[in-house]
Amino acid sequence: MTIALIQKIMTPENIEFMLKGAGYSLVIAFCALIGGSILGLLAAAAKLSRIKIFKVIANIYCEVFRGTPMLLQIMLLYLAGPVITKTFMGFVYTPNPYIIGAIAIAINSGAYETELFRSVIQAVDKGQWEAAHTTGLTYIQTMRYVILPQAFRRVIPPFINEFIVLIKDSSLLSTIGAIELLRSAQILTSNYYNFFVPYTAAAIMYLIVTMTISNIARGVERRLAESD
Amino acid sequence: MIKMDKVCKSFAAGRIKAVQDADFEVSKGEVICVIGPSGSGKSTLIRCINGLETPDSGEVFIDGQKLDFGNLKKQIPLIMRMGFVFQHFNLFPHMTVLDNLTLGPIQAQKKDPEAAKKIARDLLKRVGLEDKLDSYPAQLSGGQKQRVAIARALAQEPEVLLFDEPTSALDPEMIGEVLEVMLELAKSGMTLVVVTHEMGFAREVATRVVFMDQGKILEIGTPQEIFDHPKSERLQDFLSKVIRA
């Protein structure tokens, strides 16, 4: 009976529908990762700088976005965005759930990536700063040529891990109508009045993607360890 | 060419007085060795000279120009007149030996990359490592790393080299090769300030020896004065412990 049910629900068209959803999940997560790393790098630099106002802004950013649920942030940005533009700029727009969703996840991820970047930058030996000082490098030059290249190697494994987290987090966009993997499964459940098959299929697809990426991460980690 | 005037530096909110009222001068061509027990403030003293530490009070002059510790960014040209060699080498591990030597000259001094590379090659030849151009620091022995570090300090064409215990982190059999390079530098007329535990080197090479204890400079004199006729009891005691007949 189960097999018949699977055959009935998982038609080639429906599988394609879910794969397309999985593709959206991947693209959203990837864009959020890149956007988040730009924000994270900037905020980490602000946190490490000697200028107080930068530090304060970066701290507020991290506290706010790590201290509130990501789902709430997504809803606020998606639903409140048009209201804000209407109130302050006098126009309404129809937010695209994919773009707004990716931006919301990027902002949230950036807050976590800030701590990631800050910790790997601070983990670089103090002697490297001193050597750069004696060779006459400025702060920016030291960061660019000495500190960041060393921090970069250390950040790769946790960074890939963050990608996996974001792929799972992207499922939250199902609540604002982005047809990513979870939402595509949801649509099938209501079409066929069956929860078991579509959700299990979605779980398997998530697992295939995340396990593949974590395997890549392990390989990269091993290669980095060898070259040290 | 280096003048320290009443330099004081303390750590842990003033509880540890690392350097107290250090007055001393280095002239061109001199080889100064700073000796003393561990924790006597030797390293802090030499680190104050080029701004690795900011003194709590007192002044440092390089060629008559006052080093402004409040604005080290503007002091880069002054700081680059002094090469610094660390106890733990502090080579840049992600760069080849050649890139270690050319980074400062190209980025900070805006030298032509080809000219900087040529200088770097000549310097590596001088320290006997011309075949290690493309090696990474991790592939070198301790002695080789320190020789690269000396070449890196020389690459910025400094007027004086500061050494902070350059042989203390080395295996005994590698100390010789580093001291040999330093000896050659001294002979070539380079001004050197060396914090060291190598009493033999201090005795043979130094023009003057500085003895420090508990943050204070207790004696300054020629190697003969310091090693053969120590005045203070503390120095006599120190020498009797470090020099075994």
Side-chain angles (χ1 to χ4, degrees):
Chain A
M1 175 240 174
T2 323
I3 294 192
L5 202 59
I6 293 170
Q7 277 172 342
K8 189 183 143 208
I9 300 174
M10 298 317 283
T11 60
E13 297 86 67
N14 285 348
I15 289 176
E16 202 191 315
F17 178 63
M18 283 186 76
L19 284 176
K20 205 177 147 200
Y24 274 119
S25 291
L26 265 175
V27 171
I28 289 166
F30 186 75
C31 293
L33 184 73
I34 300 303
S37 60
I38 294 166
L39 283 170
L41 210 51
L42 286 174
K47 268 199 175 186
L48 294 170
S49 87
R50 264 166 275 169
I51 302 164
K52 191 114 189 268
I53 183 77
F54 288 173
K55 270 188 189 183
V56 171
I57 292 170
N59 275 328
I60 290 173
Y61 167 59
C62 286
E63 291 300 323
V64 167
F65 286 92
R66 293 199 305 170
T68 52
M70 192 195 273
L71 184 57
L72 176 68
Q73 294 161 15
I74 291 167
M75 293 192 158
L76 261 179
L77 203 68
Y78 183 70
L79 300 172
V83 181
I84 291 168
T85 56
K86 192 187 169 200
T87 318
F88 295 101
M89 287 170 264
F91 70 94
V92 190
Y93 69 98
T94 319
N96 177 318
Y98 299 94
I99 294 172
I100 296 291
I103 291 172
I105 297 175
I107 296 173
N108 179 280
S109 171
Y112 287 92
E113 288 179 58
T114 302
E115 290 305 314
L116 188 63
F117 287 124
R118 188 193 53 75
S119 64
V120 291
I121 289 170
Q122 283 187 325
V124 175
D125 181 35
K126 195 168 114 292
Q128 295 290 309
W129 284 99
E130 296 188 344
H133 166 86
T134 62
T135 44
L137 300 184
T138 62
Y139 177 84
I140 301 279
Q141 287 171 333
T142 305
M143 268 292 180
R144 175 164 169 209
Y145 297 108
V146 178
I147 305 299
L148 289 181
Q150 294 182 58
F152 180 70
R153 298 163 61 94
R154 276 169 239 223
V155 92
I156 292 172
F159 192 68
I160 297 176
N161 192 51
E162 177 72 11
F163 187 36
I164 292 173
V165 171
L166 292 187
I167 289 170
K168 292 181 290 174
D169 285 346
S170 69
S171 64
L172 293 173
L173 300 189
S174 61
T175 57
I176 59 169
I179 305 172
E180 41 64 68
L181 180 52
L182 180 62
R183 182 77 194 124
S184 66
Q186 262 173 359
I187 289 168
L188 292 185
T189 61
S190 47
N191 285 356
Y192 293 90
Y193 305 106
N194 179 297
F195 294 108
F196 176 71
V197 176
Y199 281 156
T200 307
I204 290 169
M205 286 186 188
Y206 274 118
L207 267 176
I208 290 171
V209 172
T210 54
M211 282 169 73
T212 308
I213 295 169
S214 70
N215 267 324
I216 293 170
R218 224 166 294 141
V220 171
E221 217 167 322
R222 210 175 309 123
R223 290 244 319 251
L224 285 177
E226 276 165 15
S227 67
D228 268 339
Chain B
M1 64 177 302
I2 296 173
K3 184 167 183 286
M4 298 186 94
D5 189 14
K6 293 207 168 33
V7 169
C8 297
K9 175 72 184 176
S10 57
F11 294 108
R15 268 174 286 140
I16 301 163
K17 293 194 166 56
V19 174
Q20 297 180 56
D21 290 321
D23 276 319
F24 99 107
E25 252 177 272
V26 183
S27 315
K28 202 168 167 51
E30 268 198 300
V31 177
I32 306 279
C33 284
V34 184
I35 61 169
S38 296
S40 59
K42 311 182 293 290
S43 290
T44 309
L45 180 81
I46 199 172
R47 287 163 62 86
C48 281
I49 299 177
N50 77 341
L52 283 173
E53 303 286 354
T54 302
D56 302 328
S57 63
E59 275 154 5
V60 177
F61 297 90
I62 314 296
D63 281 336
Q65 286 186 57
K66 198 175 124 183
L67 200 57
D68 177 7
F69 290 97
N71 192 354
L72 283 174
K73 217 188 229 174
K74 292 242 168 69
Q75 307 294 303
I76 287 173
L78 213 51
I79 286 165
M80 292 204 72
R81 291 198 203 168
M82 301 174 274
F84 199 97
V85 178
F86 297 88
Q87 180 177 355
H88 295 287
F89 331 123
N90 293 349
L91 295 174
F92 305 129
H94 58 297
M95 290 182 184
T96 64
V97 166
L98 186 67
D99 290 341
N100 262 279
L101 264 66
T102 55
L103 179 67
I106 293 174
Q107 296 303 332
Q109 295 175 315
K110 307 288 173 217
K111 269 195 193 138
D112 170 59
E114 285 312 311
K117 276 182 198 163
K118 192 184 174 305
I119 294 171
R121 280 198 197 94
D122 291 344
L123 284 170
L124 286 172
K125 202 174 279 173
R126 190 167 168 191
V127 299
L129 291 170
E130 64 267 46
D131 54 331
K132 301 287 183 195
L133 277 181
D134 297 318
S135 302
Y136 284 87
Q139 299 164 317
L140 305 177
S141 71
Q144 290 172 332
K145 280 182 199 167
Q146 196 58 298
R147 283 188 280 155
V148 170
I150 293 172
R152 178 176 69 181
L154 288 169
Q156 65 201 55
E157 303 185 301
E159 292 161 40
V160 53
L161 274 189
L162 311 173
F163 291 83
D164 185 6
E165 302 199 20
T167 56
S168 298
L170 297 177
D171 287 343
E173 70 225 59
M174 295 179 177
I175 292 175
E177 59 188 78
V178 172
L179 290 181
E180 220 167 275
V181 170
M182 291 166 65
L183 182 68
E184 189 263 322
L185 285 171
K187 279 183 183 156
S188 75
M190 186 87 196
T191 313
L192 307 179
V193 181
V194 187
V195 170
T196 187
H197 290 292
E198 294 295 323
M199 296 304 150
F201 181 82
R203 185 189 264 269
E204 274 168 44
V205 184
T207 52
R208 281 191 301 156
V209 178
V210 174
F211 173 66
M212 283 187 80
D213 186 46
Q214 297 187 343
K216 291 191 182 118
I217 294 178
L218 290 189
E219 284 190 41
I220 301 180
T222 63
Q224 287 75 23
E225 286 169 346
I226 294 289
F227 290 109
D228 300 335
H229 310 286
K231 287 189 215 98
S232 63
E233 221 171 280
R234 185 67 192 89
L235 177 54
Q236 289 164 10
D237 179 51
F238 174 74
L239 290 174
S240 72
K241 278 175 188 152
V242 294
I243 299 175
R244 269 149 279 159

